[in-house]
């Protein structure tokens, strides 16, 4: 069972690499993976795993680690408190409960904040403990789902505050220091020629609050340097710190009478860069907050309360208090609180927000309903079957979160590069400084070039390029019922060039249906179907049930019914002797019957003959029909250059008939369930990247063997567990959509990586002054800061374009 931790203090891809290196050294911490966008570390605990060792090693690397436990936070309103002793009494009463991790009671707001393990205690137990202490507990608010959102909002506010403080002081600082270049005339007491010391001191006073606002660049960045794990904060801290310290040195020189230093203070460089980087981080976090919007939408589907039937009455209770077996009332317009089955009433349920399927579903007694779907009309009572983390919605959210937390192979490459990138930049910066000094351009010019190199080289964009695209891509898939279980599946899917489909329940509906009815001598087919459906209604055979399902009308009276296993059924229908079954059982030998039987059999259909009073009544054909979307799905896949196969245990003739209907390239028929995986391996040995699409238990070995296993969501839990991609709908179009989404997302990642490398590849040489001697081209450190900030924002913004990928059914072509 993998463990998840929240990492605090990361700022760029170099931080990711540093945390992963530190975690890998911890005892028993297998396969550590860090995601910069979600700020989480996931490890696979091995034998002898030491969590304290893990936390300690990550802390030594300069970062904080917090276990992302399954604990739940709630806030309870409390009535009856009057003083501090009331607070103590309530806290002690709650702390005695098993599973309570922390409790804090606020007398002013009259609220109790409790963190507890829902597997060991329940909200009602906490309420009972409060009442046992002599007070009354009111309504509760479950805040566990909102925890990440609140943390993200807090981070966004912090960066916004940091930027605003920086900007308030950076604007006048820039005007004072650079105003003469744009025609701004300074008052006499600030004129660098008349009062150079005032000119320097005012800039120093304006820069100090900016440096304080950006203190993390120094406290974290320089600490990371000493720990031999430099990161983005290190580069900004060194660059702006050098500019600030030089400005302080210059101010002392001016005070000592060396007024020439007033021309090169560099306070504005430190101040403006911090302001620009803070602005970039604000926009970056604002955009990152939008990447997980899909999960928030899913979480918002679940109502906060439910109507519980208790002693014949309905009472509103918090959703967390619903247990398996409870009877709940769901009125028109309400969301279904949890998974369950309808025990009374009928209605129409909108599942679009959960599965992406726009057509509402009719439900009645015995129908299953899923938490998060909306009851459109009618009133139904449901008996809960799954609650909490076991509901379909919770499992979907967990799948999406796991996919967003994992790392695709392409992301690992970016992390490895960035791990070496920052130390390399520090070496380049040192070479730049020494080179310009040796050439004779002086300390100030050399420092300016060095600062520009340090600032523009920050690898923020590199670290965000992959995780943000994966988060948005997997979220977009979840909105339309396509669930990627990990980042590797998302990346591998774009390389698929061969797909194997299971037949029954995947390409076909998996249920026998009446497809043809041919009557003899111009008989009324509607009346013939009525007769056949009447006798079939007395049988439980699947073929007979398919006939009954095809007839929607009043049935005739049936008597003296008998069934002959393997042959057919006979009875008196409306007083007439009737038989239904094989040709030999019915006893009719006729060229017309033989011809029709041959035609239908070649189409892969099962032929049944009906007779009445010894004469031919009708010839019926029953088949497991192809799903409506199968032909379009296969066509789209073949247009993309993908080879399509169908593997089935059915006979060759039936399999080829179905394959011909939908245009499959090849058919592999009469295959035993255990041999399906071998067919997958055979294609892989031929050099194909293979996807397997199935829905049954017998498909799970093949799903696991394939490069990408795709399970139809209505299939078995075992098939879904073995797959890499889960389709919530029985719609093969979503196979094409999943591969398309993968291709678009990987293309987006490559675009992000290109631009991230482009900024640094082009920016660093210009900042270093490669073109200065020949063209006089140099990069002002403030422009470098703006470019660095823009690079991060542009990468995240590009990833957000994935939210608009058209995958809806009406947009399919």
């Amino acid at each position: 069972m993998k463990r998840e931790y929240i990492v605090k203090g990361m700022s760029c891809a170099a931080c990711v690499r540093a945390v992963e290196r530190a975690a890998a050294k911890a005892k028993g911490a297998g396969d550590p993976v860090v995601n910069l966008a979600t700020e989480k570390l996931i490890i696979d605990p091995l034998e002898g795993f030491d969590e304290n060792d893990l936390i300690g090693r990550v802390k030594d690397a300069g970062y904080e680690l917090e276990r992302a436990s399954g604990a739940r936070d709630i806030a309870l309103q409390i009535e009856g408190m009057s003083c501090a002793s009331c607070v103590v009494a309530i806290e002690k009463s709650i702390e005695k409960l098993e599973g309570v991790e922390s409790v804090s009671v606020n007398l002013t707001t009259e609220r109790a904040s409790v963190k507890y393990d829902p597997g060991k205690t329940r909200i009602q137990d906490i309420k009972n403990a409060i009442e046992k202490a002599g007070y009354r507990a009111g309504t509760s608010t479950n805040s566990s789902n909102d925890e990440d959102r609140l943390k993200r909002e807090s981070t966004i506010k912090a960066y916004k505050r940091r930027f605003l403080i920086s900007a308030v002081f950076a604007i006048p600082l820039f005007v004072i220091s650079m105003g003469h270049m744009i025609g701004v005339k300074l008052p006499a007491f600030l004129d660098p020629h008349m009062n150079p010391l005032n000119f320097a001191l005012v800039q120093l006073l304006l820069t100090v609050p900016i440096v304080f606002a950006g203190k993390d660049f120094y406290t974290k960045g320089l600490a990371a340097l000493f720990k031999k794990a430099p990161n983005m904060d290190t580069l900004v801290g060194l660059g702006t710190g050098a500019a600030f310290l030089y400005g302080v040195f210059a101010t002392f020189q001016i005070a000592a009478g060396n007024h020439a230093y007033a021309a090169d203070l560099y306070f504005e460089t430190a101040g403006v860069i911090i302001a620009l980087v803070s602005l970039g981080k604000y926009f970056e976090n604002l955009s990152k907050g939008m990447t997980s919007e899909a999960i928030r939408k899913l979480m918002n589907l679940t109502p906060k309360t439910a109507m519980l039937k208790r002693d014949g009455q309905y009472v509103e209770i918090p959703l967390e208090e619903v247990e398996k077996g409870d009877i709940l009332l769901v009125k028109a317009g309400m969301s279904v609180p949890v998974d369950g089955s309808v025990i009374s009433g009928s209605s129409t349920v909108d599942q679009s927000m959960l599965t992406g399927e726009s057509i509402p579903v009719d439900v009645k007694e015995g129908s299953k309903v899923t938490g998060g779907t909306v009851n459109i009309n009618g009133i139904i009572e449901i008996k809960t079957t799954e609650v909490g983390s076991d509901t379909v919605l919770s499992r979907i959210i967990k799948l999406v979160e796991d996919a967003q937390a994992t790392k695709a192979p392409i992301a690992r490459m970016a992390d490895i590069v960035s791990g070496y990138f920052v130390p390399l930049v520090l070496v380049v910066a040192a070479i730049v400084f020494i080179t310009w000094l040796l050439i004779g351009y002086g300390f100030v010019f050399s420092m300016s070039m060095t600062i520009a190199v340090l600032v523009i080289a920050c690898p923020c964009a590199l670290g965000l390029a992959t995780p943000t695209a994966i988060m948005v891509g997997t979220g977009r898939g979840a909105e339309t019922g396509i669930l990627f279980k990990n980042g590797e599946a998302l990346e591998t899917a774009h390389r698929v060039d061969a797909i194997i489909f299971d037949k029954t329940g995947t390409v076909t509906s998996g249920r026998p249906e009446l497809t043809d009815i041919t009557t003899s001598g111009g008989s009324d087919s509607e009346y013939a179907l009525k007769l056949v459906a009447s006798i079939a209604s007395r049988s439980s055979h699947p073929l007979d049930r398919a006939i009954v399902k095809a007839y929607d009308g009043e049935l005739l009276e049936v008597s003296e019914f008998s069934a002959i296993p393997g042959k057919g059924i006979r009875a008196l229908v409306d007083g007439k002797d009737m038989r239904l079954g094989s040709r030999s059982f019915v006893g009719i030998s006729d060229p017309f019957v033989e011809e029709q039987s041959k035609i239908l059999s070649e189409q892969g259909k099962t032929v049944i003959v009906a007779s009445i009073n010894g004469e031919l009544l009708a010839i019926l054909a029953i088949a497991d029909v192809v799903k409506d979307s199968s032909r379009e799905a296969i066509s789209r896949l073949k247009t993309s250059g993908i080879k399509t196969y169908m593997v089935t245990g059915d006979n060759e003739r039936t399999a080829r008939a179905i394959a011909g209907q939908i245009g499959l390239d090849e058919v592999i028929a009469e295959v035993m369930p255990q041999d399906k995986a071998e067919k997958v391996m055979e294609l892989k040995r031929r050099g194909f990247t293979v996807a397997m699409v199935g829905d049954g238990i017998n498909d799970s070995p093949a799903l696991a063997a394939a490069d990408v296993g795709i399970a139809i969501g209505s299939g078995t839990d075992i098939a879904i567990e073995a797959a890499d991609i889960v389709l919530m709908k029985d719609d093969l179009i979503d196979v094409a959509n999943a591969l398309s989404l993968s291709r678009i997302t990987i293309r987006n990642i490559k675009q992000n990586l290109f631009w991230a490398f482009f900024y640094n590849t082009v920016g660093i040489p210009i900042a270093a002054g490669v073109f200065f001697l020949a063209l006089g081209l140099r990069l002002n450190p403030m422009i470098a800061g703006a470019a660095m900030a823009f690079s991060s924002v542009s990468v995240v913004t590009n990833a957000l374009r994935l939210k608009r990928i058209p995958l809806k059914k009406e947009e399919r072509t």
Side-chain angles (χ1 to χ4, degrees), residues 590-608:
D590 183 284
F592 174 72
V593 174
E594 291 181 8
E595 181 186 354
Q596 290 298 311
S597 297
K598 183 180 179 182
I599 293 172
L600 294 170
S601 296
E602 287 175 351
Q603 295 174 6
K605 300 175 181 178
T606 301
V607 179
I608 299 176

PDB file of all heavy atoms in Angstrom, residues 590-608:
ATOM      1  N   ASP A 590     -38.246 -27.494 -45.248  1.00  0.00           N
ATOM      2  CA  ASP A 590     -38.752 -26.664 -46.331  1.00  0.00           C
ATOM      3  C   ASP A 590     -37.584 -25.893 -46.932  1.00  0.00           C
ATOM      4  O   ASP A 590     -36.744 -25.345 -46.203  1.00  0.00           O
ATOM      5  CB  ASP A 590     -39.808 -25.692 -45.759  1.00  0.00           C
ATOM      6  CG  ASP A 590     -40.449 -24.842 -46.844  1.00  0.00           C
ATOM      7  OD1 ASP A 590     -39.784 -23.891 -47.299  1.00  0.00           O
ATOM      8  OD2 ASP A 590     -41.600 -25.130 -47.213  1.00  0.00           O
ATOM      9  N   PRO A 591     -37.477 -25.814 -48.275  1.00  0.00           N
ATOM     10  CA  PRO A 591     -36.363 -25.076 -48.910  1.00  0.00           C
ATOM     11  C   PRO A 591     -36.272 -23.635 -48.434  1.00  0.00           C
ATOM     12  O   PRO A 591     -35.178 -23.083 -48.283  1.00  0.00           O
ATOM     13  CB  PRO A 591     -36.693 -25.163 -50.402  1.00  0.00           C
ATOM     14  CG  PRO A 591     -37.539 -26.381 -50.527  1.00  0.00           C
ATOM     15  CD  PRO A 591     -38.356 -26.463 -49.271  1.00  0.00           C
ATOM     16  N   PHE A 592     -37.423 -22.992 -48.221  1.00  0.00           N
ATOM     17  CA  PHE A 592     -37.448 -21.599 -47.768  1.00  0.00           C
ATOM     18  C   PHE A 592     -36.790 -21.493 -46.393  1.00  0.00           C
ATOM     19  O   PHE A 592     -35.979 -20.586 -46.136  1.00  0.00           O
ATOM     20  CB  PHE A 592     -38.889 -21.098 -47.720  1.00  0.00           C
ATOM     21  CG  PHE A 592     -39.017 -19.713 -47.125  1.00  0.00           C
ATOM     22  CD1 PHE A 592     -38.589 -18.593 -47.820  1.00  0.00           C
ATOM     23  CD2 PHE A 592     -39.548 -19.541 -45.844  1.00  0.00           C
ATOM     24  CE1 PHE A 592     -38.703 -17.318 -47.262  1.00  0.00           C
ATOM     25  CE2 PHE A 592     -39.661 -18.279 -45.286  1.00  0.00           C
ATOM     26  CZ  PHE A 592     -39.239 -17.162 -46.004  1.00  0.00           C
ATOM     27  N   VAL A 593     -37.126 -22.441 -45.506  1.00  0.00           N
ATOM     28  CA  VAL A 593     -36.555 -22.437 -44.158  1.00  0.00           C
ATOM     29  C   VAL A 593     -35.041 -22.664 -44.228  1.00  0.00           C
ATOM     30  O   VAL A 593     -34.257 -21.986 -43.564  1.00  0.00           O
ATOM     31  CB  VAL A 593     -37.226 -23.511 -43.274  1.00  0.00           C
ATOM     32  CG1 VAL A 593     -36.526 -23.589 -41.910  1.00  0.00           C
ATOM     33  CG2 VAL A 593     -38.701 -23.213 -43.096  1.00  0.00           C
ATOM     34  N   GLU A 594     -34.621 -23.600 -45.060  1.00  0.00           N
ATOM     35  CA  GLU A 594     -33.195 -23.905 -45.191  1.00  0.00           C
ATOM     36  C   GLU A 594     -32.410 -22.716 -45.753  1.00  0.00           C
ATOM     37  O   GLU A 594     -31.306 -22.394 -45.295  1.00  0.00           O
ATOM     38  CB  GLU A 594     -33.018 -25.131 -46.101  1.00  0.00           C
ATOM     39  CG  GLU A 594     -33.518 -26.421 -45.465  1.00  0.00           C
ATOM     40  CD  GLU A 594     -33.302 -27.625 -46.367  1.00  0.00           C
ATOM     41  OE1 GLU A 594     -32.626 -27.458 -47.414  1.00  0.00           O
ATOM     42  OE2 GLU A 594     -33.803 -28.702 -46.026  1.00  0.00           O
ATOM     43  N   GLU A 595     -32.990 -22.050 -46.731  1.00  0.00           N
ATOM     44  CA  GLU A 595     -32.317 -20.899 -47.352  1.00  0.00           C
ATOM     45  C   GLU A 595     -32.159 -19.752 -46.359  1.00  0.00           C
ATOM     46  O   GLU A 595     -31.092 -19.162 -46.238  1.00  0.00           O
ATOM     47  CB  GLU A 595     -33.113 -20.446 -48.577  1.00  0.00           C
ATOM     48  CG  GLU A 595     -32.460 -19.269 -49.307  1.00  0.00           C
ATOM     49  CD  GLU A 595     -33.327 -18.741 -50.442  1.00  0.00           C
ATOM     50  OE1 GLU A 595     -34.379 -19.358 -50.736  1.00  0.00           O
ATOM     51  OE2 GLU A 595     -32.955 -17.712 -51.019  1.00  0.00           O
ATOM     52  N   GLN A 596     -33.286 -19.429 -45.655  1.00  0.00           N
ATOM     53  CA  GLN A 596     -33.232 -18.340 -44.675  1.00  0.00           C
ATOM     54  C   GLN A 596     -32.278 -18.675 -43.527  1.00  0.00           C
ATOM     55  O   GLN A 596     -31.543 -17.813 -43.051  1.00  0.00           O
ATOM     56  CB  GLN A 596     -34.646 -18.067 -44.132  1.00  0.00           C
ATOM     57  CG  GLN A 596     -35.591 -17.433 -45.132  1.00  0.00           C
ATOM     58  CD  GLN A 596     -35.097 -16.058 -45.585  1.00  0.00           C
ATOM     59  OE1 GLN A 596     -34.738 -15.211 -44.772  1.00  0.00           O
ATOM     60  NE2 GLN A 596     -35.064 -15.853 -46.894  1.00  0.00           N
ATOM     61  N   SER A 597     -32.293 -19.927 -43.099  1.00  0.00           N
ATOM     62  CA  SER A 597     -31.419 -20.346 -41.998  1.00  0.00           C
ATOM     63  C   SER A 597     -29.953 -20.188 -42.378  1.00  0.00           C
ATOM     64  O   SER A 597     -29.119 -19.740 -41.575  1.00  0.00           O
ATOM     65  CB  SER A 597     -31.704 -21.794 -41.620  1.00  0.00           C
ATOM     66  OG  SER A 597     -33.024 -21.938 -41.145  1.00  0.00           O
ATOM     67  N   LYS A 598     -29.631 -20.538 -43.634  1.00  0.00           N
ATOM     68  CA  LYS A 598     -28.263 -20.433 -44.101  1.00  0.00           C
ATOM     69  C   LYS A 598     -27.798 -18.968 -44.138  1.00  0.00           C
ATOM     70  O   LYS A 598     -26.695 -18.624 -43.688  1.00  0.00           O
ATOM     71  CB  LYS A 598     -28.142 -21.057 -45.488  1.00  0.00           C
ATOM     72  CG  LYS A 598     -26.721 -21.049 -46.032  1.00  0.00           C
ATOM     73  CD  LYS A 598     -26.656 -21.680 -47.414  1.00  0.00           C
ATOM     74  CE  LYS A 598     -25.225 -21.645 -47.952  1.00  0.00           C
ATOM     75  NZ  LYS A 598     -25.149 -22.210 -49.322  1.00  0.00           N
ATOM     76  N   ILE A 599     -28.669 -18.095 -44.661  1.00  0.00           N
ATOM     77  CA  ILE A 599     -28.335 -16.657 -44.758  1.00  0.00           C
ATOM     78  C   ILE A 599     -28.093 -16.071 -43.371  1.00  0.00           C
ATOM     79  O   ILE A 599     -27.108 -15.357 -43.135  1.00  0.00           O
ATOM     80  CB  ILE A 599     -29.465 -15.890 -45.482  1.00  0.00           C
ATOM     81  CG1 ILE A 599     -29.545 -16.326 -46.951  1.00  0.00           C
ATOM     82  CG2 ILE A 599     -29.234 -14.380 -45.366  1.00  0.00           C
ATOM     83  CD1 ILE A 599     -30.745 -15.774 -47.685  1.00  0.00           C
ATOM     84  N   LEU A 600     -28.996 -16.370 -42.434  1.00  0.00           N
ATOM     85  CA  LEU A 600     -28.893 -15.810 -41.088  1.00  0.00           C
ATOM     86  C   LEU A 600     -27.702 -16.389 -40.336  1.00  0.00           C
ATOM     87  O   LEU A 600     -27.024 -15.676 -39.585  1.00  0.00           O
ATOM     88  CB  LEU A 600     -30.193 -16.069 -40.317  1.00  0.00           C
ATOM     89  CG  LEU A 600     -31.436 -15.345 -40.865  1.00  0.00           C
ATOM     90  CD1 LEU A 600     -32.698 -15.854 -40.188  1.00  0.00           C
ATOM     91  CD2 LEU A 600     -31.299 -13.828 -40.668  1.00  0.00           C
ATOM     92  N   SER A 601     -27.448 -17.682 -40.527  1.00  0.00           N
ATOM     93  CA  SER A 601     -26.326 -18.325 -39.846  1.00  0.00           C
ATOM     94  C   SER A 601     -25.001 -17.737 -40.298  1.00  0.00           C
ATOM     95  O   SER A 601     -24.067 -17.568 -39.512  1.00  0.00           O
ATOM     96  CB  SER A 601     -26.346 -19.832 -40.101  1.00  0.00           C
ATOM     97  OG  SER A 601     -27.491 -20.414 -39.537  1.00  0.00           O
ATOM     98  N   GLU A 602     -24.902 -17.411 -41.593  1.00  0.00           N
ATOM     99  CA  GLU A 602     -23.671 -16.823 -42.115  1.00  0.00           C
ATOM    100  C   GLU A 602     -23.412 -15.432 -41.537  1.00  0.00           C
ATOM    101  O   GLU A 602     -22.288 -14.935 -41.572  1.00  0.00           O
ATOM    102  CB  GLU A 602     -23.742 -16.762 -43.650  1.00  0.00           C
ATOM    103  CG  GLU A 602     -23.590 -18.127 -44.306  1.00  0.00           C
ATOM    104  CD  GLU A 602     -23.778 -18.060 -45.809  1.00  0.00           C
ATOM    105  OE1 GLU A 602     -24.196 -16.986 -46.308  1.00  0.00           O
ATOM    106  OE2 GLU A 602     -23.508 -19.073 -46.482  1.00  0.00           O
ATOM    107  N   GLN A 603     -24.471 -14.825 -41.027  1.00  0.00           N
ATOM    108  CA  GLN A 603     -24.340 -13.515 -40.379  1.00  0.00           C
ATOM    109  C   GLN A 603     -24.007 -13.648 -38.894  1.00  0.00           C
ATOM    110  O   GLN A 603     -23.974 -12.652 -38.167  1.00  0.00           O
ATOM    111  CB  GLN A 603     -25.646 -12.719 -40.545  1.00  0.00           C
ATOM    112  CG  GLN A 603     -25.966 -12.371 -41.984  1.00  0.00           C
ATOM    113  CD  GLN A 603     -27.331 -11.724 -42.143  1.00  0.00           C
ATOM    114  OE1 GLN A 603     -28.011 -11.432 -41.153  1.00  0.00           O
ATOM    115  NE2 GLN A 603     -27.740 -11.491 -43.383  1.00  0.00           N
ATOM    116  N   GLY A 604     -23.760 -14.898 -38.458  1.00  0.00           N
ATOM    117  CA  GLY A 604     -23.398 -15.121 -37.066  1.00  0.00           C
ATOM    118  C   GLY A 604     -24.579 -15.109 -36.120  1.00  0.00           C
ATOM    119  O   GLY A 604     -24.418 -14.893 -34.920  1.00  0.00           O
ATOM    120  N   LYS A 605     -25.782 -15.375 -36.621  1.00  0.00           N
ATOM    121  CA  LYS A 605     -26.990 -15.334 -35.803  1.00  0.00           C
ATOM    122  C   LYS A 605     -27.506 -16.746 -35.506  1.00  0.00           C
ATOM    123  O   LYS A 605     -27.275 -17.674 -36.276  1.00  0.00           O
ATOM    124  CB  LYS A 605     -28.077 -14.520 -36.514  1.00  0.00           C
ATOM    125  CG  LYS A 605     -27.658 -13.075 -36.771  1.00  0.00           C
ATOM    126  CD  LYS A 605     -28.696 -12.319 -37.584  1.00  0.00           C
ATOM    127  CE  LYS A 605     -28.246 -10.880 -37.847  1.00  0.00           C
ATOM    128  NZ  LYS A 605     -29.210 -10.130 -38.683  1.00  0.00           N
ATOM    129  N   THR A 606     -28.170 -16.878 -34.367  1.00  0.00           N
ATOM    130  CA  THR A 606     -28.794 -18.147 -33.989  1.00  0.00           C
ATOM    131  C   THR A 606     -30.202 -18.191 -34.555  1.00  0.00           C
ATOM    132  O   THR A 606     -31.003 -17.278 -34.317  1.00  0.00           O
ATOM    133  CB  THR A 606     -28.845 -18.287 -32.453  1.00  0.00           C
ATOM    134  OG1 THR A 606     -27.511 -18.224 -31.936  1.00  0.00           O
ATOM    135  CG2 THR A 606     -29.486 -19.616 -32.057  1.00  0.00           C
ATOM    136  N   VAL A 607     -30.535 -19.258 -35.286  1.00  0.00           N
ATOM    137  CA  VAL A 607     -31.831 -19.366 -35.974  1.00  0.00           C
ATOM    138  C   VAL A 607     -32.795 -20.215 -35.143  1.00  0.00           C
ATOM    139  O   VAL A 607     -32.439 -21.309 -34.681  1.00  0.00           O
ATOM    140  CB  VAL A 607     -31.659 -19.965 -37.371  1.00  0.00           C
ATOM    141  CG1 VAL A 607     -33.021 -20.091 -38.066  1.00  0.00           C
ATOM    142  CG2 VAL A 607     -30.705 -19.106 -38.199  1.00  0.00           C
ATOM    143  N   ILE A 608     -34.014 -19.717 -34.962  1.00  0.00           N
ATOM    144  CA  ILE A 608     -35.079 -20.430 -34.256  1.00  0.00           C
ATOM    145  C   ILE A 608     -36.299 -20.469 -35.179  1.00  0.00           C
ATOM    146  O   ILE A 608     -36.628 -19.461 -35.824  1.00  0.00           O
ATOM    147  CB  ILE A 608     -35.440 -19.730 -32.929  1.00  0.00           C
ATOM    148  CG1 ILE A 608     -34.225 -19.699 -32.002  1.00  0.00           C
ATOM    149  CG2 ILE A 608     -36.596 -20.437 -32.246  1.00  0.00           C
ATOM    150  CD1 ILE A 608     -34.471 -18.936 -30.721  1.00  0.00           C
TER     151      ILE A 608
END
